[in-house]
Amino acid sequence: MSARLKNIVILISGAGTNMAAIIRAAQTQNWESQLGARVVAVISSHADASGLALAQALGVSSEALDHRGFESRAAFDAALQARIDAHGPALVVLAGFMRILTPGFVAHYAGRMVNIHPSLLPAFTGLNTHRRAIEAGCQVAGATVHQVTAELDHGQILAQAVVPVLPGDSPQALAARVLEQEHLLYPQAVRELLPHLPAL
Ligand code: NHR
Ligand code: GAR
């Protein structure tokens, strides 16, 4: 029975508030009985991520695999892949995950790895999205849930949320406005994707 559940592994690097939103949605909406899915593990690329304790507090086991202990991206990704695959994941969810992943790693999870990026893709791939949106004079900003492919922030778009950029916005103020929408968008996008994924 439990072998047929769709296991979700969430990768984080920091606060893990998107991770927490997904775990809470899975619990309150009873994804296990409704969708045959459950969040089984959280893995952080940073040992000091506060999201590790937050996951434990929500009843999900968490572990750190600090990227600084590895000589190369390929070595880190190989170790990360082994840790993830130990949980038999149907879906890998990047939630504030800050390490660029190698093409081999991405290929291994093709069609079953998603990310939330804090911009309205295809605008503003990469980092410092909020500062760049303000400097460009954008009147709207937002977040995008997308499939992860080898090319950074270029996978198929699954869902987007839009917020206004307000006069005098700081990158921090805009980031907080976007993050609030991310917490609604990401659990919903994952929930809609799950029926389309095979259990491992
Ligand atoms: N990997 C691939 N191959 N494809 C994607 O679409 C990915 C990915 C890894 C992470 C998240 C992404 C985001 O939402 C993501 C998407 C980190 C960086 C980055 O430059 C860029 C984009 C994203 C995540 N990272 C630096 C690096 O050298 C480290 C930056 C830091 O530690 O602060 O890996 O924005
Ligand atoms: C979120 O805004 C997420 O979109 C962004 O970082 C924040 C993480 O918050 N992701 C990236 O910038 C990826 N490069 P969280 O850890 O509280 O979910």
Side-chain angles (χ1 to χ4, degrees), residues 76-89:
F76 172 70
D77 281 7
L80 182 60
Q81 184 175 315
R83 292 279 200 102
I84 294 169
D85 286 353
H87 299 287

Side-chain angles (χ1 to χ4, degrees), residues 57-165:
L58 291 166
V60 176
S61 77
S62 62
E63 48 192 285
L65 183 70
D66 204 293
H67 71 92
R68 286 166 291 200
F70 292 87
E71 281 199 349
S72 66
R73 264 179 212 281
F76 172 70
D77 281 7
L80 182 60
Q81 184 175 315
R83 292 279 200 102
I84 294 169
D85 286 353
H87 299 287
L91 179 65
V92 177
V93 173
L94 310 189
F97 185 74
M98 292 309 293
R99 301 301 302 172
I100 295 172
L101 297 161
T102 53
F105 180 99
V106 172
H108 180 71
Y109 300 106
R112 56 188 177 112
M113 180 160 59
V114 295
N115 176 48
I116 189 159
H117 179 75
S119 80
L120 293 173
L121 291 173
F124 307 119
T125 60
L127 303 178
N128 304 310
T129 53
H130 305 298
R131 178 177 58 72
R132 290 156 62 206
I134 291 168
E135 285 175 3
C138 294
Q139 299 195 356
V140 295
T144 303
V145 178
H146 64 92
Q147 295 273 4
V148 175
T149 58
E151 194 180 352
L152 192 66
D153 298 329
H154 272 72
Q156 186 194 342
I157 292 172
L158 301 174
Q160 291 185 307
V162 181
V163 304
V165 179

